[in-house]
Each structure stands twice: as structure tokens, then as C-alpha cells.
Amino acid sequence: MELAKITSKGQITIPIQIRKMLNLKDGDKVVFMTEGGRVIMENPTRLAVKEAQEAFEGLAEELGLKSEDDVINLVKEVRKELWEKKHADND
């Protein structure tokens, strides 16, 4: 458990162990959320990655992606299709 003091301006210093745990650096922002009557502070970048992972969960299996090579090949295919579409529109 970490303790922080609130200044008259409502500011706090986030304890070093919490900053390390959330991978926070100078200038980073934090997001505050409520959940079950509790306030949770999170690194918004980590939160966005977590939400993206949850949103895409199961999609790899649906697309038949079983390896890193499968993902690389899919990216190449999509890039090729986008390139062809872009250049077809210019004709």
C-alpha cells in the first residue's frame, strides 16, 4: 500500500513504485476510472492496448492466423490490395 498527500490544489505525487508498475514517465498522463465503488488509476496507453487486445480476441483464429508468418503474409496481402486499389483509382 502506498500513501500520497493531496496539496491545496488537489495535486498528488504518485509514489515511485506505482509509477514503475504503471510504466509512467515525466509528462505521461493517467486516467482515473471508477469500478465497483473504487477509483482505479491507469496508464492510458496500457489501457488502450488492453482494450484493443480484448476487441481482437479470437479474431486470429477466425482468420486462420496461427503464426507470426501468417500475420506477416496477411499484412503483405492487405498492403498489396490497398496499393492496387489506390493506383487503379488513378487510371
Side-chain angles (χ1 to χ4, degrees), residues 18-64:
I18 303 300
R19 292 194 313 260
K20 286 180 180 178
M21 183 172 45
L22 294 176
N23 195 30
L24 295 172
K25 310 282 186 283
D26 285 352
D28 285 352
K29 295 183 179 186
V30 294
V31 63
F32 294 92
M33 304 169 292
T34 57
E35 187 176 283
R38 293 176 175 243
V39 176
I40 301 167
M41 180 180 70
E42 182 61 83
N43 177 326
T45 304
R46 283 180 29 172
L47 183 62
V49 169
K50 179 182 174 190
E51 288 176 354
Q53 287 173 330
E54 290 172 358
F56 290 108
E57 189 173 347
L59 189 57
E61 291 83 13
E62 289 176 28
L63 295 173

Side-chain angles (χ1 to χ4, degrees), residues 71-89:
V71 174
I72 290 169
N73 290 331
L74 176 63
V75 170
K76 286 179 181 178
E77 284 179 41
V78 170
R79 284 180 177 163
K80 180 180 176 189
E81 289 173 14
L82 291 173
W83 187 87
E84 289 172 350
K85 181 179 178 187
K86 179 180 178 181
H87 292 287
D89 293 342

